[in-house]
Amino acid sequence: MKSLFIVCDGLGDRLTNGKTPLEAAKTPNMDLLAMNGITGIMDPVRAGIRPGSDTSHLSLFGYDPFKLYTGRGPFEAAGAGIKLKEGDIACRCNFASMRNGRITDRRAGREEEGLDQLSKAVEKIKIDGVKLIFKRCQGHRAVLVVRGKGLSPRITDTDPEETGVPPAKSKPIDGKKDSVKTADILNEFTRKTIEILSDHPVNSKRTGNGKPPANVVLCRGTGINPHLEPFKKKYGMKGVCICATTLIAGVCRAIGMDTLDVKGANGHTDSDIGAKAKAAIGALKKYDFVFLHIKGADEASHDGNFQAKREFIERIDREVIALVLEEVKDTTVILTADHSTPISIRQHSADPVPIAILGDVRTDSVKKFTERDCAKGGLGRICGINLMGIILDLGNDAELFGA
Ligand code: ZN
Ligand code: ZN
């Protein structure tokens, strides 16, 4: 049985003037899906745990983030197209501006002039005993991978997350040799970026044009690339991800899923989600498990914009769910979110998310796809880590436990 797994990032919410954005939105297609399917609510990671998008997706794909997750770095690096090896250390980086030893702008003014050239200079940095892989991502962002023996993610960031101070010294969180070694490497890397970038002609040009220099690279979110059993081996299904967010694409790549790029998909509220839906439906011909990630609702939530979130949900209903209901047959369709991002707090919360599954299911009496309606559904309250088991079972592909 094939599966189409649709995750609307940050969809869940709390009440604003008595309603959640999902309740306020007109969503006839989502409601039809809920009416003909089985519904429930889900704690993406665990009850009371506020999920990041990375830990949540790991959990939804059945990989326990409590055992496997050490930091965002490896998933950002995988999303940026770096093939990681088990044991690699990876962190997220920012080009930043410094004057007289103090950081003046953590994002180098978001000014991209010459960053490709500066990035090439940083790529040449060498440190004895390890291999460094540095790659520029969008804007002022980049990723750093440290490959070698005896490394540990148990270190602090060199990004102090504030201005007016020098770059932070990375420190081992525990006293272990591996952590001390890794912190030393990160400090040496930071020192060398300052050395190479300070006198770089690109920066003379930038400052000459009245722009802030990009004269240091700051690191954060260090994690170790864990052993992740490939999705296909774990579930016997060939999976593909359709997603415009680097971090989520990184999680999918890390578990060995293919990724499909869709023109016009950008991870924002103006993304061409209809094109993504078409791509997802098309991919069902070639793949057993198609994962469609839609980001916009989370973005609107972080902006605290109820109206934008409601309108984006209505777009998902019209441009994605309507098409899915019309064209997808003989497939288990799952509609849910990776966490709630309440408008009132503009950040992720542990509030459970609604979920509806269409397929060979025992329907329930729920007729609307909302947080409060789905709470009365036949799935009850489930945990994200159990979702893949439920999907496999509904597709009659689950292994028998016992005799
Ligand atoms: Zn998310
Ligand atoms: Zn978010």
Side-chain angles (χ1 to χ4, degrees):
M1 184 73 136
K2 301 210 172 201
S3 304
L4 173 59
F5 182 30
I6 306 168
V7 171
C8 308
D9 206 302
L11 178 73
D13 213 300
R14 295 178 186 165
L15 307 185
T16 301
N17 298 324
K19 276 186 179 173
T20 70
L22 185 57
E23 287 172 347
K26 280 199 185 64
T27 56
N29 298 294
M30 290 184 186
D31 295 344
L32 205 62
L33 200 159
M35 199 186 305
N36 295 324
I38 187 166
T39 63
I41 50 171
M42 176 170 71
D43 296 296
V45 178
R46 300 275 196 283
I49 300 287
R50 274 179 59 209
S53 289
D54 44 11
T55 50
S56 166
H57 278 83
L58 278 172
S59 179
L60 298 184
F61 292 133
Y63 297 83
D64 189 347
F66 287 108
K67 290 192 187 127
L68 298 164
Y69 186 82
T70 49
R72 180 169 173 162
F75 302 107
E76 286 285 351
I82 299 176
K83 268 212 173 324
L84 293 180
K85 293 187 174 169
E86 202 176 318
D88 281 355
I89 295 290
C91 50
R92 310 170 71 199
C93 305
N94 273 5
F95 278 97
S97 311
M98 262 176 77
R99 204 171 53 216
N100 302 327
R102 287 169 194 279
I103 294 159
T104 49
D105 189 328
R106 284 183 54 246
R107 299 176 182 91
R110 294 186 188 269
E111 177 51 64
E112 300 193 27
E113 185 189 324
L115 286 189
D116 276 333
Q117 267 170 283
L118 295 179
S119 188
K120 287 214 167 66
V122 175
E123 284 167 29
K124 292 200 180 99
I125 292 176
K126 287 199 163 48
I127 292 177
D128 284 346
V130 289
K131 185 175 179 201
L132 301 183
I133 305 165
F134 182 80
K135 187 170 178 187
R136 191 187 160 205
C137 305
Q138 278 175 333
H140 57 280
R141 298 192 187 90
V143 286
L144 172 72
V145 174
V146 185
R147 182 168 293 163
K149 287 206 174 78
L151 300 171
S152 160
R154 306 265 305 144
I155 60 167
T156 61
D157 300 339
T158 62
D159 186 345
E161 308 254 350
E162 57 178 332
T163 53
V165 296
K169 273 229 162 336
S170 176
K171 293 192 189 94
I173 292 168
D174 55 29
K176 294 195 179 129
K177 219 171 81 188
D178 295 359
S179 314
V180 175
K181 176 180 165 177
T182 314
D184 284 346
I185 291 169
L186 216 61
N187 289 326
E188 194 178 340
F189 171 78
T190 310
R191 196 175 49 72
K192 287 191 169 176
T193 64
I194 299 171
E195 208 175 277
I196 287 177
L197 298 176
S198 297
D199 301 326
H200 199 286
V202 162
N203 274 325
S204 318
K205 213 172 142 204
R206 281 173 67 111
T207 40
N209 292 341
K211 290 168 181 166
N215 52 5
V216 61
V217 174
L218 302 172
C219 304
R220 66 203 153 100
T222 307
I224 191 163
N225 190 42
H227 171 73
L228 295 167
E229 191 185 1
F231 186 84
K232 181 155 195 286
K233 194 163 167 236
K234 196 170 163 75
Y235 300 117
M237 295 191 284
K238 203 173 154 204
V240 67
C241 148
I242 293 153
C243 150
T245 309
T246 322
L247 180 65
I248 307 306
V251 171
C252 293
R253 286 200 181 124
I255 59 173
M257 269 190 201
D258 288 347
T259 50
L260 274 187
D261 286 330
V262 175
K263 209 171 151 248
N266 61 20
H268 303 295
T269 44
D270 62 352
S271 178
D272 190 349
I273 55 176
K276 286 173 88 171
K278 277 194 198 104
I281 293 167
L284 279 167
K285 288 194 194 93
K286 223 178 116 189
Y287 292 91
D288 312 303
F289 185 92
V290 176
F291 166 58
L292 173 59
H293 174 263
I294 301 170
K295 174 76 178 166
D298 188 57
E299 189 181 75
S301 308
H302 285 294
D303 291 342
N305 192 336
F306 186 97
Q307 181 83 352
K309 185 168 184 177
R310 198 198 73 197
E311 282 168 10
F312 188 74
I313 292 169
E314 292 178 349
R315 272 195 65 208
I316 300 176
D317 191 76
R318 279 196 313 271
E319 296 175 38
V320 179
I321 307 302
L323 204 64
V324 167
L325 292 181
E326 204 178 290
E327 297 195 6
V328 176
K329 306 276 178 290
D330 301 320
T331 300
T332 306
V333 178
I334 306 99
L335 173 64
T336 188
D338 60 340
H339 49 76
S340 295
T341 313
I343 294 285
S344 54
I345 57 169
R346 298 184 179 205
Q347 51 178 317
H348 302 181
S349 76
D351 295 280
V353 297
I355 177 167
I357 305 180
L358 196 62
D360 186 8
V361 298
R362 292 200 309 243
T363 52
D364 51 37
S365 57
V366 172
K367 292 190 168 46
K368 284 180 81 62
F369 184 72
T370 72
E371 295 88 341
R372 286 188 282 183
D373 285 284
C374 288
K376 298 172 207 145
L379 282 171
R381 182 167 180 162
I382 60 172
C383 190
I385 196 93
N386 300 125
L387 180 60
M388 283 305 300
I390 293 170
I391 295 173
L392 286 174
D393 178 58
L394 290 173
N396 305 319
D397 293 321
E399 262 179 50
L400 182 69
F401 177 53

